[in-house]
Amino acid sequence: MYAEVIVDISNEKLDKVFEYSIPSTLEGMLQIGMEVMVPFGRGNRETNGYIIGFRSSPEFTPDRIKPVLSIREGSRSVSSRLVALAAWMKEYYGGTMIQALKTVLPIKKKEKLLERRRVRLLLDEEEGQRKLDFYLGKNQRARARLLAGLLEQPEQEYDLITKKLNVSSAVIHALREQGVLEIDIEHIFRNPVKYQVREKKNISCTEEQQAAVDCFCMDYEKKHYGTYLLYGVTGSGKTEVYMEMIQYVVSKGRQAIVLIPEIALTYQTVLRFYGRFGDRVSILNSRLSPGERSDQMERVERGEVDVMIGPRSALFTPFSDLGLIVIDEEHETTYKSEQVPRFHARETAEERARMEGASVVLGSATPSLEAFYRCRTGKYTLLALTKRAADQKLAAVYTVDMREELKKGNRSILSDRLRRLMKERLAKGQQMMLFLNRRGYAGFVSCRSCGYVVKCPHCDVSLSAHRNGRLVCHYCGYEEQVIRKCPSCGSSYIGGFKAGTQAVEELIKREFPQASVLRMDMDTTKTKDGHERILSAFANGEADILVGTQMIVKGHDFPNVTLVGVLAADLSLYGDDYRAGERTFELLTQAAGRAGRGKQKGEAVIQTYSPEHYSVVMAARQDYEGFYEEEMHYRKLMGYPPVSELLAVLAGGGDEELLEKAVRYLKEFAVRADKSGKLQVIGPASPHVGKVNDVYRRVLYLKSEDYSTLTAVKNHMEQYIEMNQGFQTLKIQFDFNPMNIF
Ligand code: ADP
Ligand code: ZN
Ligand code: ZN
């Protein structure tokens, strides 16, 4: 056996793997991730490295291979655990080891620390006065000015001195040479949390909250680490529960990671954690500078941080004794990486927790089917919060059938009911949100008179209108002619839905000239703090109406909002995606959950062309379990996750003919490589966008009941692709249980 070792993990490129032989004294003792000592370079300098894999035959001539020297003492370091996690990710999600390592290891390239320099006078009053006379006698004015200033105030900030006393650095250094002063350098870490919390709200848990916390802590006490799903209705106080659990884990001397979708990582949220844990909290987000980011890692390594809050990538925070990973809003699609390895934070968190002896807490008002399914099968422990924390009622939800509005002659984007309620709110000075559901909108075609949607006869997902004028299924490749008349009712009001947030904003301003309107979408949040700015303006009551895309429904708490309107609930329903029903239920429920979080009761209006669809019906009832049963029925019938496992094989290349041929070979190969006899291969189909930047794309879908069947086939395919010249110009990626289809 030979060990594959990376020698320098602080090297950002990480693209060199070295082979070492395993001496008989170490046989059977080495594991992936272990830190070992190896001879390196011409002089055989003893260096540490990490084992990232094994192979039975070496790539190089055996006699030139050097042996591993020893296992490094205390080898179970953070880095070695992260290397082992990377190896798991490579196996579980595909891609190369290098890609996996780059994902998990913190960037070691040290940014320069910020320095604070202070100038300190070394002389006493008398000596100082004598020296001052000396400088004055010699007419050395700048030196005299500096010394006089220091005699007045013996310790000062370097940068202030140069300005205030108008002296150059040369003068300061000259006096230092003469032993008059000293320059003290203090290294400071940039702290991205830029505010201080003075008052601390003391909240005592509700009975339900306490029960959830107790269950977690009792297991933890017994070292029964596991995964919990905190399923709590909107406004039930999940964050309080997380903080209690974190407090408990931190009191054991261990650390916690809190994953929050980037969009919800606002001032409001961070402040709550900061209020509880002070500056033992750190955050990571994409807006941090490289310097701020590297400082946070430095603080972590020095043990100055107990709680790290951040989006998906914060999962790899190199804590030395990680005790808990919280994933808030676990149903969010952003927890799935879009880069190789295409990992899901939920599964990867579970694996990291397993390696570290830690627990995972997932939280959501609308859990992913995956998470709830695992509660049903006993893999996760369910913790439920059924009531809002301050006992507010959930909003009353009305569904409006837009087909009826059309029959009444109302062709506006606002139903009569929504318009009436909006007027009422404006009169009362209460706030409202209008949510334009554009998620997953991929050009599906529907009838505005009867709600009929054109679907694939084989896959039960909607067909998409392509530019070439045909309707296409993105799973199996089925195509048909565009239709001009509704096959169900004969109406010619059939086509794609096209209103954007800007159009809605303009319409609202025309209809309600007295109202002030804010808009939040991709366009208005482009700038660095764009979304934060709009949210806080709205929270401060600077506008009556907030119009936006799904961005506005995520986890924000506006107590004065008493009305939520959902325009076009259907757009996400018929995205041509097997998760469309789940997305729709989630968005509608979360949207309704924004209303009535303060003292006044809230109302929500859902406008739809398909009021009878179970996602809409159950969201209006805010009945998650009802939805779950219906959706699982569909997933079982069609063999979609979480009942079955799905692997998308994405292929891209500049030569369409070659691509087509290669993908067909790959399909045949997959069928042959499968030993279980239970693998199903679908496609190849063209993704949504069949060609990007002159790169053509194709996708294959592999289905099986067992994940391990898919990883086995994936491993065979990876070898097959590497060995065959024909694939060299193509880019092939694997995506397990994709969040959307391509
Ligand atoms: P969720 O994340 O479940 O939607 P939050 O954690 O944002 O809910 O809590 C909603 C509101 O309820 C927050 O303003 C929070 O301060 C408040 N809250 C939470 N727990 C309690 C409690 N035990 N008593 C009073 N208010 C609470
Ligand atoms: Zn129709
Ligand atoms: Zn199809």
Side-chain angles (χ1 to χ4, degrees), residues 62-127:
D63 53 312
R64 286 185 51 200
I65 293 183
K66 303 166 192 172
V68 173
L69 300 175
S70 61
I71 298 173
R72 183 127 188 233
E73 241 172 272
S75 164
R76 293 303 293 163
S77 67
V78 189
S79 304
S80 58
R81 291 194 305 265
L82 288 174
V83 170
L85 184 63
W88 175 86
M89 288 167 79
K90 172 190 149 50
E91 170 70 15
Y92 206 78
Y93 298 110
T96 66
M97 189 63 196
I98 300 300
Q99 285 168 321
L101 283 171
K102 279 185 176 166
T103 310
V104 304
L105 292 175
I107 305 153
K108 272 290 168 61
K109 205 179 85 193
K110 282 237 166 68
E111 296 286 329
K112 256 179 82 178
L113 289 177
L114 279 189
E115 290 182 345
R116 189 189 294 147
R117 289 179 298 173
R118 295 177 70 80
V119 173
R120 182 162 47 88
L121 183 64
L122 293 175
L123 308 181
D124 64 25
E125 184 89 40
E126 201 183 323
E127 293 167 322

Side-chain angles (χ1 to χ4, degrees), residues 201 203-206 209 232-240 272 328-329 385 389-390 392 557 594 597:
K201 247 201 303 186
I203 292 181
S204 53
C205 281
T206 63
Q209 286 173 323
V233 297
T234 53
S236 57
K238 291 184 282 296
T239 311
E240 288 303 317
R272 286 171 76 179
D328 190 29
E329 310 288 352
L385 305 176
Q392 312 96 314
D557 204 5
R594 295 310 111 203
R597 291 165 75 98

Side-chain angles (χ1 to χ4, degrees), residues 253-370:
R254 310 186 77 188
Q255 299 92 38
I257 293 169
V258 182
L259 301 187
I260 288 181
E262 176 115 31
I263 187 91
L265 195 55
T266 57
Y267 181 82
Q268 241 189 4
T269 339
V270 178
L271 203 59
R272 286 171 76 179
F273 283 90
Y274 212 67
R276 183 79 162 249
F277 302 101
D279 56 12
R280 307 282 302 171
V281 173
S282 178
I283 58 171
L284 287 177
N285 64 43
S286 60
R287 297 189 296 274
L288 296 191
S289 67
E292 285 174 325
R293 187 168 275 272
S294 104
D295 280 6
Q296 300 326 301
M297 290 307 149
E298 183 76 29
R299 290 177 65 203
V300 165
E301 276 165 20
R302 290 175 182 223
E304 292 175 10
V305 176
D306 293 327
V307 185
M308 180 61 86
I309 307 175
R312 194 178 63 221
S313 61
L315 182 54
F316 308 111
T317 304
F319 279 131
S320 61
D321 190 8
L322 181 64
L324 171 62
I325 303 169
V326 171
I327 305 183
D328 190 29
E329 310 288 352
E330 64 83 29
H331 57 272
E332 280 290 322
T333 49
T334 50
Y335 285 125
K336 179 84 189 281
S337 173
E338 285 175 356
Q339 275 161 16
V340 180
R342 294 173 177 256
F343 68 97
H344 197 297
R346 189 195 313 119
E347 297 153 340
T348 311
E350 279 183 75
E351 182 60 19
R352 183 163 185 204
R354 195 192 59 74
M355 288 173 171
E356 311 246 4
S359 285
V360 176
V361 174
L362 312 168
S364 178
T366 50
S368 62
L369 281 226
E370 278 80 359

Side-chain angles (χ1 to χ4, degrees), residues 456 459 473 476:
C456 172
C459 304
C473 172
C476 70

